[in-house]
Amino acid sequence: MSQVKITLPDGSSREYQQGVTIKEIAFDIGPGLGRASVAGRVNGQEVDLAYQIEEDVELEIITIDSEDGLDIYRHTAAHVLAQALVRLFDDVQLAIGPTIDDGFYYDFDLEKRLSEDDFEQIEAEMKEIIKEGYEIERVELSKAEAIAKMKELGMDYKVELIEEMEDEVVSFYQQGEFIDPCRGPHLPSTKMLKTNAFKLLNLAGAYWRGDENNQMLQRIYGTAFTKKSDLEEHLHRLEEAKKRDHRKLGQKLDLFSLHEEGPGFPFFHPKGMVVRNQLIDFWKEEHRKAGYEEIKTPIILNQELWEQSGHWDHYRDDMYFTEIDEQDYAVKPMNCPGGILVYKDRMRSYRDLPIRLGELGLVHRHERSGTLHGLMRVRNFTQDDAHIYCLPEQIEDELSGVIKLVDTIYNAFGFKYNVELSTKPDKAMGSDELWEQATSALKEAILANDLDYEVNEGDGAFYGPKIDFHLEDCLGRSWQCGTIQLDFQMPERFDLTYIGQDGEEHRPVMIHRAILGSLERFMGILIEHYAGAFPTWLAPIQAEIIPITDDQLDYAYQVKEELEEAGIRVEVDSRQEKVGYKIREAQVQQIPYMLIVGDDEIEAGTVSVRERREGDLGAVKVEEFKNDLLEKIEKKV
């Protein structure tokens, strides 16, 4: 039998007989690797351990303790969930069951509406399937056979998916009596799953194929780990995340509300507006120092503009429209076309460039109702946009300037962040040459600023590649907020020019960028990151004065007036309640400082300071407290 050459990731190679499996190679390299292996990657394509190698290949062994291995592990758990559903409910129709970040889900159609009370029964059946230890086998059928098989099982959603496939051979995975069409790979056996390290988490509704005109399906979310301790740690994080849910805290702290009269359109209350305005003031000051000028452009502009920008062809399904004077108009989903008109309003010289125009622009996007989520996913939001128009030789400096500004702003909130370079998508404007030029410029800027980054293939904007910044909050969750997009397309489409040193017209380069991303979403992230306990400079109320009795009310209001004159946000709790109750209420409202005043404080001209986390800090002169607090606010401690 012929020999095949196997090249491993470290560059070494081995020879085996043709037809050798991934599993056999893993055990030949070492018994530890063999036991830990769950799949392989042959010439970049993931395959099962039973895959037979017939020619020379590059091979990577995927182990259960790797990120890819955990994904395969969870994919198998999703199939076990589906098998349990089929066993328990005769009329269940399975749809799809992919893995997601931190877990998996399965969509299904079932006349009975399940609740989380049913999870115990489903989990028990899943454990039984795991204990039964079914070998998981890959089966390949012709397209016609695959359709017939799914019709026989009454799986109409699977039939629809297979009918749309272009492949003439369809792969299935079988474990015991259960069979499901799937690309794979999967674990070799259900017994590799741990019965004490998976959990069904919650139920949701999901339209078939994400289309609200289709059948509403039921979706069960779950997660699985290779160790019980990892599951327990994950469940603890989920519980902590529930406590920090910005929707609940937003209501509890009286920051914002959501109403059926405007789904996806949040209402900000006075305290929420304080936080919002503090963010805006901070944003404006940092941008002023970085050489930006502020503009404001209309919310509604005519259809021709959106056709010229390319949004009409690439973004129309997510836009709102109206008619004015028998002409078609669109509500802006992005700010860039309006900013471009500001640039075009007069002739520009090379001496004027770079021009940095910032805009806190209100945009509207038609998000589907099922995707709306508090402040995190809304239909109208304020983008902290800016567009930079520069000379080609200024690109690197301008990109570095934006990266430094991103770092300054994120550091003010204590955020760590990761960087991602997103490249040309399938549907894109412009030549490959321009895309390559833009992508190279972004890569060079990342390297020049000593940033680690990952490449996200095909996820760029339709007009240019981009750098995305992902914040990490205190629970380790990642949030994509900032973005920098290098654009050679819009200057062409809008015929943007400047007069060069040679007296001729030339094209400027355009940089789109946002740092907070959206004020609304960023506020939601901050609420959860701080669990509602905003740093003092952001807190809606920075100090609460608590008189022990009504006898100290006059002094309390005197202190309030002195602090307010210094610009401190302060309230007096004048209710006829016990001091302990007032303190607890102030702590529930996450007010940074409580100032207790009694007869002793009046006599000494002091306040007894209590910090929301550190507790009693003792009595200090009002002037001393004021100056100390102003310093903390100024330094954004």
Side-chain angles (χ1 to χ4, degrees):
M1 188 176 289
S2 300
Q3 297 285 102
V4 291
K5 180 181 176 183
I6 308 298
T7 303
L8 300 172
D10 64 1
S12 64
S13 61
R14 294 172 177 241
E15 290 196 352
Y16 295 92
Q17 286 191 338
Q18 196 174 35
V20 67
T21 65
I22 307 292
K23 183 177 181 179
E24 289 170 337
I25 295 172
F27 271 99
D28 182 63
I29 294 172
L33 179 63
R35 288 189 296 271
S37 61
V38 293
R41 186 173 288 106
V42 173
N43 294 334
Q45 181 179 351
E46 288 187 359
V47 296
D48 299 294
L49 282 181
Y51 180 86
Q52 294 181 319
I53 296 177
E54 304 291 346
E55 59 186 9
D56 296 350
V57 298
E58 293 182 356
L59 171 65
E60 179 185 349
I61 305 295
I62 299 175
T63 56
I64 199 164
D65 57 355
S66 68
E67 190 174 320
D68 291 330
L70 183 57
D71 190 69
I72 292 166
Y73 184 92
R74 288 170 172 164
H75 196 174
T76 301
H79 276 225
V80 171
L81 167 59
Q83 184 174 5
L85 291 170
V86 171
R87 284 187 177 185
L88 293 170
F89 307 104
D90 293 336
D91 58 337
V92 70
Q93 285 248 359
L94 299 177
I96 59 172
T99 57
I100 54 175
D101 289 345
D102 294 329
F104 59 88
Y105 70 78
Y106 218 106
D107 288 348
F108 56 94
D109 196 354
L110 182 64
E111 186 173 344
K112 176 185 176 181
R113 300 303 299 178
L114 298 185
S115 72
E116 293 185 14
D117 293 337
D118 296 299
F119 283 179
E120 185 176 350
Q121 180 188 19
I122 299 169
E123 287 177 347
E125 192 63 42
M126 290 175 69
K127 289 177 182 178
E128 197 60 37
I129 293 166
I130 293 170
K131 289 175 184 175
E132 287 164 5
Y134 294 111
E135 296 297 313
I136 301 175
E137 299 177 301
R138 182 184 175 93
V139 179
E140 293 186 347
L141 300 176
S142 69
K143 187 173 181 178
E145 290 173 326
I147 291 170
K149 182 69 175 176
M150 290 297 99
K151 284 184 176 178
E152 177 190 337
L153 296 174
M155 296 294 173
D156 296 339
Y157 296 100
K158 304 285 188 184
V159 171
E160 183 180 327
L161 291 173
I162 295 170
E163 285 177 339
E164 294 180 5
M165 290 181 182
E166 296 182 1
D167 299 335
E168 288 306 313
V169 176
V170 180
S171 60
F172 286 75
Y173 280 81
Q174 183 155 8
Q175 52 201 51
E177 82 287 354
F178 178 74
I179 189 168
D180 203 12
C182 183
R183 287 192 301 271
H186 281 277
L187 299 179
S189 167
T190 62
K191 68 183 177 183
M192 287 190 73
L193 294 169
K194 299 288 181 65
T195 57
N196 63 353
F198 78 89
K199 183 73 177 171
L200 300 184
L201 300 173
N202 57 284
L203 267 163
Y207 291 109
W208 169 233
R209 310 191 88 163
D211 187 339
E212 55 195 27
N213 297 313
N214 288 339
Q215 175 72 20
M216 172 67 81
L217 306 177
Q218 298 184 68
R219 173 178 293 178
I220 291 180
Y221 286 97
T223 192
F225 291 87
T226 58
K227 298 177 184 175
K228 182 183 178 183
S229 58
D230 290 343
L231 173 65
E232 289 172 344
E233 183 182 334
H234 179 71
L235 294 178
H236 174 73
R237 283 201 306 270
L238 291 179
E239 282 303 310
E240 188 62 30
K242 282 183 183 177
K243 295 176 189 174
R244 294 167 178 265
D245 188 325
H246 74 283
R247 294 167 298 179
K248 294 178 181 177
L249 287 174
Q251 184 177 28
K252 180 179 176 182
L253 302 177
D254 196 23
L255 301 173
F256 70 92
S257 57
L258 304 165
H259 300 276
E260 291 182 2
E261 292 82 354
F265 301 96
F267 291 70
F268 286 94
H269 298 193
K271 289 182 179 178
M273 285 302 297
V274 171
V275 179
R276 183 184 175 95
N277 286 331
Q278 288 300 309
L279 286 175
I280 289 172
D281 290 346
F282 173 57
W283 185 92
K284 288 185 176 184
E285 177 60 18
E286 292 303 322
H287 280 72
R288 183 193 62 77
K289 290 190 287 190
Y292 288 77
E293 298 176 289
E294 190 176 359
I295 63 171
K296 184 172 178 61
T297 63
I299 292 176
I300 299 175
L301 295 163
N302 69 23
Q303 179 179 322
E304 292 177 4
L305 179 74
W306 301 107
E307 290 173 346
Q308 186 177 0
S309 69
H311 289 89
W312 190 260
D313 293 330
H314 294 268
Y315 212 78
R316 181 171 43 192
D317 292 343
D318 298 303
M319 295 169 67
Y320 295 107
F321 306 96
T322 188
E323 187 178 291
I324 303 173
D325 297 334
E326 299 180 354
Q327 287 190 358
D328 292 325
Y329 283 74
V331 180
K332 68 176 178 181
M334 298 179 188
N335 296 303
C336 29
I340 287 170
L341 294 183
V342 173
Y343 178 90
K344 277 179 67 78
D345 191 55
R346 64 185 178 88
M347 183 67 71
R348 307 288 180 172
S349 162
Y350 72 94
R351 294 188 182 90
D352 300 325
L353 274 53
I355 295 172
R356 307 181 189 103
L357 301 178
E359 177 176 16
L360 292 163
L362 181 63
V363 299
H364 291 71
R365 298 180 184 177
H366 185 199
E367 301 288 354
R368 303 301 179 262
S369 58
T371 67
L372 300 176
H373 181 77
L375 298 180
M376 303 298 197
R377 197 72 179 263
V378 292
R379 286 174 168 156
N380 78 319
F381 57 93
T382 302
Q383 265 191 326
D384 68 315
D385 244 332
H387 298 96
I388 300 171
Y389 306 88
C390 64
L391 306 173
E393 59 267 29
Q394 294 171 333
I395 290 174
E396 186 174 335
D397 285 344
E398 289 306 305
L399 291 174
S400 290
V402 176
I403 289 171
K404 287 179 173 63
L405 183 57
V406 168
D407 188 69
T408 296
I409 289 178
Y410 289 172
N411 280 337
F413 302 99
F415 283 124
K416 298 177 183 177
Y417 58 88
N418 300 308
V419 176
E420 198 172 66
L421 175 63
S422 298
T423 59
K424 184 179 181 181
D426 292 334
K427 293 182 179 179
M429 299 190 308
S431 67
D432 289 341
E433 183 182 357
L434 282 176
W435 272 87
E436 181 58 38
Q437 184 181 348
T439 304
S440 296
L442 290 179
K443 191 180 298 183
E444 288 170 11
I446 292 172
L447 296 175
N449 286 274
D450 296 322
L451 296 175
D452 294 326
Y453 72 101
E454 293 183 0
V455 176
N456 187 4
E457 296 287 354
D459 200 42
F462 66 84
Y463 48 78
K466 59 179 180 171
I467 300 171
D468 286 330
F469 295 85
H470 297 260
L471 302 184
E472 183 182 317
D473 70 10
C474 65
L475 296 182
R477 297 175 300 181
S478 180
W479 305 92
Q480 194 273 307
C481 290
T483 186
I484 307 173
Q485 300 165 2
L486 189 54
D487 182 4
F488 292 96
Q489 312 298 331
M490 291 293 177
E492 287 287 339
R493 293 179 78 93
F494 283 92
D495 191 27
L496 301 187
T497 61
Y498 66 90
I499 303 300
Q501 283 181 286
D502 57 3
E504 301 295 324
E505 290 188 346
H506 299 272
R507 286 266 182 267
V509 177
M510 187 173 177
I511 299 171
H512 307 245
R513 44 111 303 190
I515 297 177
L516 306 181
S518 132
L519 279 180
E520 289 73 8
R521 186 164 176 268
F522 197 78
M523 278 185 64
I525 293 169
L526 289 180
I527 292 168
E528 297 197 0
H529 179 62
Y530 295 127
F534 293 107
T536 305
W537 71 275
L538 269 180
I541 303 298
Q542 295 166 323
E544 179 100 343
I545 303 171
I546 300 174
I548 293 175
T549 68
D550 286 353
D551 293 341
Q552 295 90 37
L553 272 176
D554 288 344
Y555 180 69
Y557 281 107
Q558 178 184 325
V559 173
K560 176 177 184 284
E561 184 178 351
E562 183 175 346
L563 296 180
E564 279 184 333
E565 285 179 356
I568 294 168
R569 297 185 291 276
V570 58
E571 284 185 347
V572 173
D573 188 341
S574 59
R575 295 174 299 171
Q576 292 183 332
E577 299 283 357
K578 292 181 179 179
V579 172
Y581 176 82
K582 292 180 181 182
I583 290 173
R584 285 193 298 274
E585 282 283 289
Q587 288 185 309
V588 166
Q589 289 296 307
Q590 301 288 7
I591 296 171
Y593 292 95
M594 289 141 272
L595 310 180
I596 319 301
V597 294
D599 290 340
D600 290 345
E601 283 75 21
I602 293 174
E603 186 176 340
T606 61
V607 287
S608 184
V609 181
R610 186 178 182 86
E611 203 271 339
R612 63 185 166 193
R613 293 288 177 265
E614 298 176 34
D616 187 10
L617 301 181
V620 298
K621 292 287 186 181
V622 176
E623 183 74 13
E624 183 183 341
F625 171 76
K626 179 181 70 175
N627 292 336
D628 183 57
L629 186 56
L630 288 173
E631 184 180 356
K632 286 185 169 69
I633 293 168
E634 175 66 26
K635 292 183 177 179
K636 294 182 170 54
V637 174

